[in-house]
Amino acid sequence: MKTLHISIDQKKISYEIDFLENFSELHSRILSEIAGRNHVFVTDENVFEKTNFFTNIPKEKIVILPAGEEYKNWESITKILDKSFEMCLDRSSVVIAIGGGVIGDMSGFASRIFMRGVPVIQVPTTLLSMVDSSVGGKTGIDTKHGKNLIGAFHQPEKVLCCKQFLQTLEFVELQNGLSEMVKHGILGSEDHFKHLENFSEKFKENFLEKNNRIEIENAVFSLVPESVSIKKNIVQQDEQEKGVRGFLNLGHTYGHAMELLSNFEIPHGIGVAKGIWQSVIESEKRGILQNDIDKKRIENVFSNFNISLENPFSLKEIEEAMVHDKKKKDGKIRLILVKKIGEVEYGNL
Ligand code: GLY
């Protein structure tokens, strides 16, 4: 079993991210992490129905929320808090979030505010949440004012990534996660990008052409720790996003705007890929991108993952949609620009 260690020195917090093969391993790990403490599980209808994971868990200990970004709201938080009161949780208890980013963010937020803080264990079930949202402690909900504008930092006590969840994912969910992994390569590691580039050739041949899913799941899961460790290194330096953590928003300023304009028809990871591409084009225009080969490599890797980089909206529409985004500094909309694969810098729109 692979393990990564993350330490947030400012808060004297550290935790482990473990990479597990299957549900039986995950079950026993969760039991040993609970270690006799009072607890509740939080999940969504999709995860509950699509996996046999909850078979032996008493139903009264599970909060099952409706699935989807549109339910990332106060009502769902209230359901988690109500269940926590009903089950008599206190600060010595633990909440276990089993789901994608929406479930992880809401469980993290609810456990941050329940009795001023209960520990949370994150068990990400999508590739996207394995490589991104389960690590780093950003939690929150959406409101009519925008995505994730209400929230708090609440680092998990533990993150358990289990390969078997990849079997439950639709194709687009693999693409969503792959986009964020490519993002990590572009912003912080030419080596990781190179590994994804090699993997993308395999993906095209084995998955898109031969539909050889198991091989692809094994290969992608073997790249997850490397991707997570790029994020981990950034979060360790800057938990509260006062400096380098903002680089993790590469592609997100454009991406969030496109998600919003499409009424969330464009899924998050695909929006990020399109957003990265807009940032690359902008970086080239401003003379920041150092060479054309990197642009071609980025285009090629997304194309091998069958992710379209086309932007269906005008720049005017996108700029208007960006106004509510958190990614502003001193009232200006902040962009992440690409110098080369492995290096980015801040810029303003
Ligand atoms: N998803 C970006 C971050 O965690 O900072």
Side-chain angles (χ1 to χ4, degrees), residues 6 124 201:
I6 172 164
E201 303 290 341

Side-chain angles (χ1 to χ4, degrees), residues 132-133 135-136 138 180 183 231 235 241 245 248-249 252:
D132 188 15
S133 57
V135 174
K138 278 190 182 174
E180 294 279 356
K183 180 197 81 176
K231 173 155 188 182
V235 172
E241 201 175 309
R245 186 163 182 171
L248 292 169
N249 294 324
H252 283 60

